[in-house]
mmCIF file of all heavy atoms in Angstrom:
data_model
loop_
_atom_site.group_PDB
_atom_site.id
_atom_site.type_symbol
_atom_site.label_atom_id
_atom_site.label_comp_id
_atom_site.label_asym_id
_atom_site.label_seq_id
_atom_site.Cartn_x
_atom_site.Cartn_y
_atom_site.Cartn_z
ATOM 1 N N ASP A 1413 -84.028 96.186 44.538
ATOM 2 C CA ASP A 1413 -82.795 96.993 44.561
ATOM 3 C C ASP A 1413 -82.815 98.062 45.654
ATOM 4 O O ASP A 1413 -81.789 98.622 46.015
ATOM 5 C CB ASP A 1413 -82.519 97.617 43.184
ATOM 6 C CG ASP A 1413 -83.674 98.482 42.683
ATOM 7 O OD1 ASP A 1413 -84.535 98.886 43.496
ATOM 8 O OD2 ASP A 1413 -83.713 98.753 41.465
ATOM 9 N N ASN A 1414 -84.006 98.373 46.157
ATOM 10 C CA ASN A 1414 -84.192 99.376 47.216
ATOM 11 C C ASN A 1414 -83.826 100.797 46.753
ATOM 12 O O ASN A 1414 -83.637 101.684 47.581
ATOM 13 C CB ASN A 1414 -83.399 99.010 48.479
ATOM 14 C CG ASN A 1414 -84.146 99.386 49.752
ATOM 15 O OD1 ASN A 1414 -85.361 99.577 49.729
ATOM 16 N ND2 ASN A 1414 -83.429 99.518 50.850
ATOM 17 N N THR A 1415 -83.724 101.011 45.450
ATOM 18 C CA THR A 1415 -83.356 102.347 44.949
ATOM 19 C C THR A 1415 -84.289 102.861 43.853
ATOM 20 O O THR A 1415 -84.316 104.055 43.591
ATOM 21 C CB THR A 1415 -81.926 102.344 44.355
ATOM 22 O OG1 THR A 1415 -81.853 101.345 43.332
ATOM 23 C CG2 THR A 1415 -80.873 102.059 45.411
ATOM 24 N N CYS A 1416 -85.046 101.999 43.200
ATOM 25 C CA CYS A 1416 -85.877 102.423 42.059
ATOM 26 C C CYS A 1416 -87.090 103.212 42.576
ATOM 27 O O CYS A 1416 -87.345 103.258 43.781
ATOM 28 C CB CYS A 1416 -86.323 101.205 41.244
ATOM 29 S SG CYS A 1416 -87.712 100.326 41.981
ATOM 30 N N CYS A 1419 -89.446 101.114 44.844
ATOM 31 C CA CYS A 1419 -88.828 100.812 46.147
ATOM 32 C C CYS A 1419 -88.880 102.052 47.037
ATOM 33 O O CYS A 1419 -89.260 101.979 48.207
ATOM 34 C CB CYS A 1419 -87.380 100.377 45.968
ATOM 35 S SG CYS A 1419 -87.205 98.666 45.402
ATOM 36 N N CYS A 1427 -90.556 96.210 42.600
ATOM 37 C CA CYS A 1427 -89.274 96.776 42.159
ATOM 38 C C CYS A 1427 -89.091 96.605 40.650
ATOM 39 O O CYS A 1427 -89.455 95.577 40.077
ATOM 40 C CB CYS A 1427 -88.136 96.061 42.896
ATOM 41 S SG CYS A 1427 -86.496 96.610 42.382
ATOM 42 N N GLU A 1428 -88.489 97.618 40.031
ATOM 43 C CA GLU A 1428 -88.218 97.536 38.586
ATOM 44 C C GLU A 1428 -87.302 96.347 38.258
ATOM 45 O O GLU A 1428 -87.303 95.852 37.147
ATOM 46 C CB GLU A 1428 -87.552 98.839 38.109
ATOM 47 C CG GLU A 1428 -88.545 99.992 38.048
ATOM 48 C CD GLU A 1428 -87.913 101.321 37.625
ATOM 49 O OE1 GLU A 1428 -86.662 101.419 37.572
ATOM 50 O OE2 GLU A 1428 -88.673 102.252 37.375
HETATM 51 ZN ZN1 LIG B 466 -86.599 98.752 43.241
#
Side-chain angles (χ1 to χ4, degrees):
D1413 57 18
N1414 216 20
T1415 56
C1416 79
C1419 282
C1427 177
E1428 287 178 349

